[in-house]
Amino acid sequence: MTKVAVMLANGFEEIEALTVVDVLRRAAIECLMVGFDPEVTGSHGITVKVDEVWSGSLDHFDGIVLPGGMPGAVNLRDHEGLIQSLKEAHEQGKSLAAICAAPIVLDRAGLLDEKRYTCYDGFEKEIGREHYVKEAVVQDGHILTSRGPATALAFSYALVNHFGGDATAL
């Protein structure tokens, strides 16, 4: 069975994280909220209890999803252990996904080089415009990106299909 981690750092965008968790679970895809602390507060003051506290490794997951939000995406980007784990997951061919501002995390890990991607308006200036595409969801190999809160459902359905589920059945 596919197992997916949604990484939560303080300041995460609630709709982007919780929509993914809800939709993947409805599709019977195992999805765990993983945080650096037992409880994490989003950018709009919603506090959630994570399913798993960060152990320093994501080896037991088949896919990792990074929600945006501020300062959540920056907190993910600046976590050295997470960056190393993402590099390792990429080398192993695991699926990586980021929405809104979170593609900055993939960029910091060097995983968007030569990859088509999308992100929240303006963040392409920080990442680089060469391979930026203004679409709701962009998949390039095993990396999926999306634009922001308004595309959270489209992103979630794309993830369901990517992980072998049937989004149309939902």
Side-chain angles (χ1 to χ4, degrees):
M1 174 183 250
T2 301
K3 189 172 183 180
V4 178
V6 175
M7 292 300 305
L8 300 182
N10 283 318
F12 70 94
E13 173 55 56
E14 293 92 341
I15 195 168
E16 296 165 1
L18 300 178
T19 300
V20 168
V21 173
D22 181 276
V23 170
L24 289 180
R25 288 180 180 180
R26 287 174 190 255
I29 296 170
E30 187 175 3
C31 180
L32 299 179
M33 295 180 289
V34 179
F36 301 126
D37 298 301
E39 291 187 349
V40 184
T41 302
S43 60
H44 298 97
I46 299 171
T47 299
V48 298
K49 181 179 175 183
V50 301
D51 300 307
E52 184 177 306
V53 176
W54 166 260
S55 67
S57 172
L58 295 170
D59 287 346
H60 56 294
F61 291 101
D62 303 298
I64 298 110
V65 179
L66 309 169
M70 284 299 183
V74 169
N75 290 334
L76 293 173
R77 180 197 67 197
D78 293 345
H79 193 282
E80 293 297 332
L82 177 61
I83 296 300
Q84 185 57 40
S85 287
L86 292 172
K87 289 177 181 180
E88 291 167 6
H90 179 70
E91 289 170 7
Q92 297 166 8
K94 293 185 179 187
S95 299
L96 304 173
I99 184 170
C100 194
I104 65 173
V105 183
L106 298 177
D107 180 58
R108 169 120 191 279
L111 306 180
L112 290 181
D113 297 345
E114 305 303 317
K115 294 285 186 186
R116 292 176 63 248
Y117 75 94
T118 196
C119 59
Y120 192 76
D121 282 345
F123 281 89
E124 74 279 6
K125 294 172 186 164
E126 182 176 336
I127 296 169
R129 297 181 187 166
E130 186 177 348
H131 300 287
Y132 171 75
V133 181
K134 191 169 185 171
E135 294 177 8
V137 179
V138 173
Q139 181 171 350
D140 191 335
H142 63 274
I143 295 179
L144 291 90
T145 53
S146 190
R147 295 185 41 75
T151 64
L153 272 173
F155 181 58
S156 299
Y157 293 142
L159 289 169
V160 167
N161 290 331
H162 178 75
F163 290 119
D166 181 5
T168 59
L170 295 177

